[in-house]
């Protein structure tokens, strides 16, 4: 049984083509710029079996055509790894493309998680991995957690040849220094299976959710990056060298 926070029937930025996106409930990270803090709570959400979830999404298959399919996001999708594995297994039995959108926070090579992760990867066509900050200390300040296991996950997926899209949110004064961007770019270059590398500009569209939850927004003084800053980040990261997956 999965706990689902919300759905999106026609996702266009959550993997190749048009996608049905499941946003699962629950996340351990506390990113200061999170635009979905209402997904943090491990309780709540809509209870649904993998079969029920697949049937709900499969109704929209005529819109997916050759490139589209199902994406599972969060919260943090890996916190419900058994549910995601069963959903993706059903999807692949029906010829549906599958994408896992994750921050990698749950990844470990310890059991029983590691066996479960490898089982999930059998039914996963693409992993969209958010690399929020390459510096471990700054990552802890930004999210409350280390990034050591997240970078290890990226390296493991590379070793296995699993297709990846890497995404990095550009937050002025926090994730946009030349030093950090250079280190991030160098790290991503070591990964063999990256199909796309994207810079996502920080935004405040989720600010109202913090207010509704009675939480103080930590980055209230931070404004979205300028076009010039985004262009500079793309240049440093050399994102143009990474071509699209199934596009």
């Amino acid at each position: 049984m999965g706990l689902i926070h919300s759905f999106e029937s026609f996702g266009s930025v959550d993997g190749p083509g048009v996608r049905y996106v499941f946003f699962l409930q629950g996340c351990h990270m506390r990113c200061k710029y999170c635009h979905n803090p209402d997904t943090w709570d491990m309780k709540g959400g809509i209870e649904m079996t993998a079969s029920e979830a697949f049937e709900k999404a499969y109704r929209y298959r005529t819109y997916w055509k050759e490139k589209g399919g199902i994406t599972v996001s969060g919260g943090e999708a890996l916190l419900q790894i058994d549910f995601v594995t069963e959903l993706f297994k059903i999807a692949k039995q029906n010829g549906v493309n599958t994408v896992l959108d994750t921050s990698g926070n749950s990844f470990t090579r310890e059991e029983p998680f590691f066996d479960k992760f490898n089982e999930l990867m059998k039914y996963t066509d693409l992993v969209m991995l958010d690399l929020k900050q390459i510096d471990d200390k700054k990552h802890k300040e930004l999210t409350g957690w280390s990034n050591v296991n997240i970078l290890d996950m990226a390296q493991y997926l590379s070793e296995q040849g699993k297709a990846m899209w890497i995404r990095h949110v550009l937050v002025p004064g926090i994730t946009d220094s030349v030093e950090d961007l250079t280190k991030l770019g160098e790290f991503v270059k070591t990964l063999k299976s990256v199909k796309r590398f994207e810079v996502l500009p920080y935004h405040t569209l989720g600010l109202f959710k913090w207010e509704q939850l009675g939480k103080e927004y930590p980055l209230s003084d931070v404004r979205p990056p300028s076009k010039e800053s985004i262009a500079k980040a793309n240049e440093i990261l050399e994102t143009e060298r990474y071509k699209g997956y199934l596009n």
Side-chain angles (χ1 to χ4, degrees), residues 185-205:
E186 290 174 348
F187 173 75
V188 174
K189 286 178 185 177
T190 68
L191 306 176
K192 304 173 183 178
S193 55
V194 176
K195 306 300 180 182
R196 181 176 293 185
F197 190 7
E198 297 179 302
V199 173
L200 305 179
Y202 161 80
H203 62 73
T204 58
L205 298 179

PDB file of all heavy atoms in Angstrom, residues 185-205:
ATOM      1  N   GLY A 185      30.392  20.149 -11.440  1.00  0.00           N
ATOM      2  CA  GLY A 185      30.599  19.802 -12.840  1.00  0.00           C
ATOM      3  C   GLY A 185      31.643  18.711 -13.014  1.00  0.00           C
ATOM      4  O   GLY A 185      31.477  17.789 -13.822  1.00  0.00           O
ATOM      5  N   GLU A 186      32.713  18.786 -12.233  1.00  0.00           N
ATOM      6  CA  GLU A 186      33.769  17.783 -12.308  1.00  0.00           C
ATOM      7  C   GLU A 186      33.257  16.417 -11.854  1.00  0.00           C
ATOM      8  O   GLU A 186      33.615  15.388 -12.432  1.00  0.00           O
ATOM      9  CB  GLU A 186      34.959  18.220 -11.452  1.00  0.00           C
ATOM     10  CG  GLU A 186      35.705  19.418 -12.021  1.00  0.00           C
ATOM     11  CD  GLU A 186      36.785  19.933 -11.081  1.00  0.00           C
ATOM     12  OE1 GLU A 186      36.797  19.503  -9.899  1.00  0.00           O
ATOM     13  OE2 GLU A 186      37.597  20.771 -11.516  1.00  0.00           O
ATOM     14  N   PHE A 187      32.415  16.428 -10.806  1.00  0.00           N
ATOM     15  CA  PHE A 187      31.861  15.164 -10.325  1.00  0.00           C
ATOM     16  C   PHE A 187      30.955  14.532 -11.374  1.00  0.00           C
ATOM     17  O   PHE A 187      31.063  13.326 -11.666  1.00  0.00           O
ATOM     18  CB  PHE A 187      31.073  15.377  -9.029  1.00  0.00           C
ATOM     19  CG  PHE A 187      30.343  14.152  -8.569  1.00  0.00           C
ATOM     20  CD1 PHE A 187      31.026  13.100  -7.977  1.00  0.00           C
ATOM     21  CD2 PHE A 187      28.961  14.037  -8.743  1.00  0.00           C
ATOM     22  CE1 PHE A 187      30.355  11.946  -7.560  1.00  0.00           C
ATOM     23  CE2 PHE A 187      28.288  12.896  -8.335  1.00  0.00           C
ATOM     24  CZ  PHE A 187      28.994  11.855  -7.740  1.00  0.00           C
ATOM     25  N   VAL A 188      30.062  15.318 -11.948  1.00  0.00           N
ATOM     26  CA  VAL A 188      29.122  14.780 -12.922  1.00  0.00           C
ATOM     27  C   VAL A 188      29.856  14.226 -14.143  1.00  0.00           C
ATOM     28  O   VAL A 188      29.426  13.229 -14.743  1.00  0.00           O
ATOM     29  CB  VAL A 188      28.083  15.841 -13.323  1.00  0.00           C
ATOM     30  CG1 VAL A 188      27.187  15.338 -14.453  1.00  0.00           C
ATOM     31  CG2 VAL A 188      27.231  16.215 -12.115  1.00  0.00           C
ATOM     32  N   LYS A 189      30.973  14.829 -14.491  1.00  0.00           N
ATOM     33  CA  LYS A 189      31.756  14.335 -15.627  1.00  0.00           C
ATOM     34  C   LYS A 189      32.287  12.925 -15.399  1.00  0.00           C
ATOM     35  O   LYS A 189      32.586  12.204 -16.353  1.00  0.00           O
ATOM     36  CB  LYS A 189      32.926  15.282 -15.916  1.00  0.00           C
ATOM     37  CG  LYS A 189      32.537  16.581 -16.584  1.00  0.00           C
ATOM     38  CD  LYS A 189      33.764  17.458 -16.788  1.00  0.00           C
ATOM     39  CE  LYS A 189      33.392  18.818 -17.339  1.00  0.00           C
ATOM     40  NZ  LYS A 189      34.577  19.718 -17.485  1.00  0.00           N
ATOM     41  N   THR A 190      32.411  12.522 -14.137  1.00  0.00           N
ATOM     42  CA  THR A 190      32.906  11.167 -13.845  1.00  0.00           C
ATOM     43  C   THR A 190      31.814  10.117 -14.014  1.00  0.00           C
ATOM     44  O   THR A 190      32.102   8.912 -14.017  1.00  0.00           O
ATOM     45  CB  THR A 190      33.450  11.070 -12.399  1.00  0.00           C
ATOM     46  OG1 THR A 190      32.368  11.188 -11.456  1.00  0.00           O
ATOM     47  CG2 THR A 190      34.477  12.146 -12.133  1.00  0.00           C
ATOM     48  N   LEU A 191      30.572  10.553 -14.130  1.00  0.00           N
ATOM     49  CA  LEU A 191      29.448   9.629 -14.263  1.00  0.00           C
ATOM     50  C   LEU A 191      29.240   9.279 -15.736  1.00  0.00           C
ATOM     51  O   LEU A 191      29.160  10.154 -16.590  1.00  0.00           O
ATOM     52  CB  LEU A 191      28.183  10.258 -13.683  1.00  0.00           C
ATOM     53  CG  LEU A 191      28.297  10.761 -12.239  1.00  0.00           C
ATOM     54  CD1 LEU A 191      26.998  11.456 -11.818  1.00  0.00           C
ATOM     55  CD2 LEU A 191      28.638   9.623 -11.287  1.00  0.00           C
ATOM     56  N   LYS A 192      29.139   7.996 -16.019  1.00  0.00           N
ATOM     57  CA  LYS A 192      29.129   7.519 -17.401  1.00  0.00           C
ATOM     58  C   LYS A 192      27.751   7.478 -18.048  1.00  0.00           C
ATOM     59  O   LYS A 192      27.661   7.359 -19.272  1.00  0.00           O
ATOM     60  CB  LYS A 192      29.743   6.113 -17.453  1.00  0.00           C
ATOM     61  CG  LYS A 192      31.152   6.022 -16.883  1.00  0.00           C
ATOM     62  CD  LYS A 192      31.617   4.581 -16.814  1.00  0.00           C
ATOM     63  CE  LYS A 192      32.990   4.469 -16.171  1.00  0.00           C
ATOM     64  NZ  LYS A 192      33.435   3.047 -16.044  1.00  0.00           N
ATOM     65  N   SER A 193      26.704   7.542 -17.264  1.00  0.00           N
ATOM     66  CA  SER A 193      25.371   7.313 -17.836  1.00  0.00           C
ATOM     67  C   SER A 193      24.434   8.516 -17.727  1.00  0.00           C
ATOM     68  O   SER A 193      23.219   8.364 -17.785  1.00  0.00           O
ATOM     69  CB  SER A 193      24.723   6.093 -17.159  1.00  0.00           C
ATOM     70  OG  SER A 193      24.691   6.258 -15.745  1.00  0.00           O
ATOM     71  N   VAL A 194      24.998   9.708 -17.566  1.00  0.00           N
ATOM     72  CA  VAL A 194      24.183  10.923 -17.484  1.00  0.00           C
ATOM     73  C   VAL A 194      23.739  11.338 -18.885  1.00  0.00           C
ATOM     74  O   VAL A 194      24.570  11.573 -19.759  1.00  0.00           O
ATOM     75  CB  VAL A 194      24.954  12.074 -16.815  1.00  0.00           C
ATOM     76  CG1 VAL A 194      24.121  13.353 -16.831  1.00  0.00           C
ATOM     77  CG2 VAL A 194      25.323  11.698 -15.385  1.00  0.00           C
ATOM     78  N   LYS A 195      22.439  11.419 -19.079  1.00  0.00           N
ATOM     79  CA  LYS A 195      21.879  11.784 -20.382  1.00  0.00           C
ATOM     80  C   LYS A 195      21.510  13.257 -20.454  1.00  0.00           C
ATOM     81  O   LYS A 195      21.426  13.823 -21.542  1.00  0.00           O
ATOM     82  CB  LYS A 195      20.633  10.937 -20.671  1.00  0.00           C
ATOM     83  CG  LYS A 195      20.859   9.439 -20.564  1.00  0.00           C
ATOM     84  CD  LYS A 195      21.920   8.958 -21.538  1.00  0.00           C
ATOM     85  CE  LYS A 195      22.122   7.464 -21.420  1.00  0.00           C
ATOM     86  NZ  LYS A 195      23.193   6.968 -22.319  1.00  0.00           N
ATOM     87  N   ARG A 196      21.274  13.849 -19.293  1.00  0.00           N
ATOM     88  CA  ARG A 196      20.914  15.268 -19.260  1.00  0.00           C
ATOM     89  C   ARG A 196      21.352  15.861 -17.927  1.00  0.00           C
ATOM     90  O   ARG A 196      21.323  15.198 -16.894  1.00  0.00           O
ATOM     91  CB  ARG A 196      19.402  15.450 -19.448  1.00  0.00           C
ATOM     92  CG  ARG A 196      18.955  16.911 -19.437  1.00  0.00           C
ATOM     93  CD  ARG A 196      17.480  17.054 -19.721  1.00  0.00           C
ATOM     94  NE  ARG A 196      17.158  16.672 -21.082  1.00  0.00           N
ATOM     95  CZ  ARG A 196      15.937  16.792 -21.625  1.00  0.00           C
ATOM     96  NH1 ARG A 196      14.937  17.259 -20.897  1.00  0.00           N
ATOM     97  NH2 ARG A 196      15.721  16.432 -22.870  1.00  0.00           N
ATOM     98  N   PHE A 197      21.781  17.111 -17.982  1.00  0.00           N
ATOM     99  CA  PHE A 197      22.228  17.835 -16.788  1.00  0.00           C
ATOM    100  C   PHE A 197      21.545  19.193 -16.840  1.00  0.00           C
ATOM    101  O   PHE A 197      21.784  19.986 -17.743  1.00  0.00           O
ATOM    102  CB  PHE A 197      23.751  17.966 -16.821  1.00  0.00           C
ATOM    103  CG  PHE A 197      24.370  18.474 -15.544  1.00  0.00           C
ATOM    104  CD1 PHE A 197      23.633  18.658 -14.391  1.00  0.00           C
ATOM    105  CD2 PHE A 197      25.734  18.767 -15.507  1.00  0.00           C
ATOM    106  CE1 PHE A 197      24.219  19.122 -13.219  1.00  0.00           C
ATOM    107  CE2 PHE A 197      26.337  19.218 -14.345  1.00  0.00           C
ATOM    108  CZ  PHE A 197      25.588  19.399 -13.203  1.00  0.00           C
ATOM    109  N   GLU A 198      20.661  19.462 -15.884  1.00  0.00           N
ATOM    110  CA  GLU A 198      19.841  20.662 -15.928  1.00  0.00           C
ATOM    111  C   GLU A 198      20.076  21.579 -14.732  1.00  0.00           C
ATOM    112  O   GLU A 198      20.221  21.111 -13.598  1.00  0.00           O
ATOM    113  CB  GLU A 198      18.355  20.277 -15.939  1.00  0.00           C
ATOM    114  CG  GLU A 198      17.926  19.491 -17.155  1.00  0.00           C
ATOM    115  CD  GLU A 198      16.453  19.129 -17.078  1.00  0.00           C
ATOM    116  OE1 GLU A 198      16.052  18.459 -16.107  1.00  0.00           O
ATOM    117  OE2 GLU A 198      15.699  19.525 -17.989  1.00  0.00           O
ATOM    118  N   VAL A 199      20.103  22.874 -14.990  1.00  0.00           N
ATOM    119  CA  VAL A 199      20.118  23.887 -13.940  1.00  0.00           C
ATOM    120  C   VAL A 199      18.694  24.407 -13.789  1.00  0.00           C
ATOM    121  O   VAL A 199      18.102  24.916 -14.744  1.00  0.00           O
ATOM    122  CB  VAL A 199      21.063  25.050 -14.298  1.00  0.00           C
ATOM    123  CG1 VAL A 199      20.930  26.167 -13.271  1.00  0.00           C
ATOM    124  CG2 VAL A 199      22.501  24.564 -14.363  1.00  0.00           C
ATOM    125  N   LEU A 200      18.137  24.246 -12.596  1.00  0.00           N
ATOM    126  CA  LEU A 200      16.785  24.716 -12.325  1.00  0.00           C
ATOM    127  C   LEU A 200      16.853  25.971 -11.465  1.00  0.00           C
ATOM    128  O   LEU A 200      17.438  25.945 -10.378  1.00  0.00           O
ATOM    129  CB  LEU A 200      15.979  23.637 -11.596  1.00  0.00           C
ATOM    130  CG  LEU A 200      15.904  22.264 -12.264  1.00  0.00           C
ATOM    131  CD1 LEU A 200      15.082  21.311 -11.403  1.00  0.00           C
ATOM    132  CD2 LEU A 200      15.300  22.376 -13.655  1.00  0.00           C
ATOM    133  N   PRO A 201      16.294  27.074 -11.908  1.00  0.00           N
ATOM    134  CA  PRO A 201      16.344  28.303 -11.110  1.00  0.00           C
ATOM    135  C   PRO A 201      15.477  28.217  -9.861  1.00  0.00           C
ATOM    136  O   PRO A 201      14.335  27.746  -9.913  1.00  0.00           O
ATOM    137  CB  PRO A 201      15.829  29.374 -12.071  1.00  0.00           C
ATOM    138  CG  PRO A 201      14.983  28.624 -13.052  1.00  0.00           C
ATOM    139  CD  PRO A 201      15.624  27.286 -13.207  1.00  0.00           C
ATOM    140  N   TYR A 202      16.031  28.626  -8.749  1.00  0.00           N
ATOM    141  CA  TYR A 202      15.281  28.717  -7.489  1.00  0.00           C
ATOM    142  C   TYR A 202      14.061  29.606  -7.669  1.00  0.00           C
ATOM    143  O   TYR A 202      14.093  30.608  -8.380  1.00  0.00           O
ATOM    144  CB  TYR A 202      16.212  29.298  -6.412  1.00  0.00           C
ATOM    145  CG  TYR A 202      15.513  29.883  -5.206  1.00  0.00           C
ATOM    146  CD1 TYR A 202      15.031  29.065  -4.191  1.00  0.00           C
ATOM    147  CD2 TYR A 202      15.356  31.269  -5.088  1.00  0.00           C
ATOM    148  CE1 TYR A 202      14.395  29.616  -3.080  1.00  0.00           C
ATOM    149  CE2 TYR A 202      14.733  31.823  -3.978  1.00  0.00           C
ATOM    150  CZ  TYR A 202      14.246  30.991  -2.977  1.00  0.00           C
ATOM    151  OH  TYR A 202      13.634  31.527  -1.881  1.00  0.00           O
ATOM    152  N   HIS A 203      12.944  29.205  -7.047  1.00  0.00           N
ATOM    153  CA  HIS A 203      11.738  30.030  -7.096  1.00  0.00           C
ATOM    154  C   HIS A 203      11.033  29.983  -5.738  1.00  0.00           C
ATOM    155  O   HIS A 203      11.377  29.180  -4.865  1.00  0.00           O
ATOM    156  CB  HIS A 203      10.795  29.558  -8.206  1.00  0.00           C
ATOM    157  CG  HIS A 203      10.285  28.154  -8.022  1.00  0.00           C
ATOM    158  ND1 HIS A 203       9.339  27.807  -7.081  1.00  0.00           N
ATOM    159  CD2 HIS A 203      10.602  26.989  -8.652  1.00  0.00           C
ATOM    160  CE1 HIS A 203       9.074  26.526  -7.142  1.00  0.00           C
ATOM    161  NE2 HIS A 203       9.838  25.991  -8.080  1.00  0.00           N
ATOM    162  N   THR A 204      10.055  30.831  -5.577  1.00  0.00           N
ATOM    163  CA  THR A 204       9.335  30.924  -4.292  1.00  0.00           C
ATOM    164  C   THR A 204       7.858  30.579  -4.456  1.00  0.00           C
ATOM    165  O   THR A 204       7.021  31.011  -3.661  1.00  0.00           O
ATOM    166  CB  THR A 204       9.467  32.347  -3.708  1.00  0.00           C
ATOM    167  OG1 THR A 204       8.944  33.301  -4.652  1.00  0.00           O
ATOM    168  CG2 THR A 204      10.918  32.678  -3.398  1.00  0.00           C
ATOM    169  N   LEU A 205       7.530  29.764  -5.446  1.00  0.00           N
ATOM    170  CA  LEU A 205       6.133  29.440  -5.717  1.00  0.00           C
ATOM    171  C   LEU A 205       5.488  28.628  -4.595  1.00  0.00           C
ATOM    172  O   LEU A 205       4.269  28.583  -4.489  1.00  0.00           O
ATOM    173  CB  LEU A 205       6.021  28.678  -7.051  1.00  0.00           C
ATOM    174  CG  LEU A 205       6.491  29.443  -8.293  1.00  0.00           C
ATOM    175  CD1 LEU A 205       6.360  28.575  -9.536  1.00  0.00           C
ATOM    176  CD2 LEU A 205       5.680  30.732  -8.452  1.00  0.00           C
TER     177      LEU A 205
END
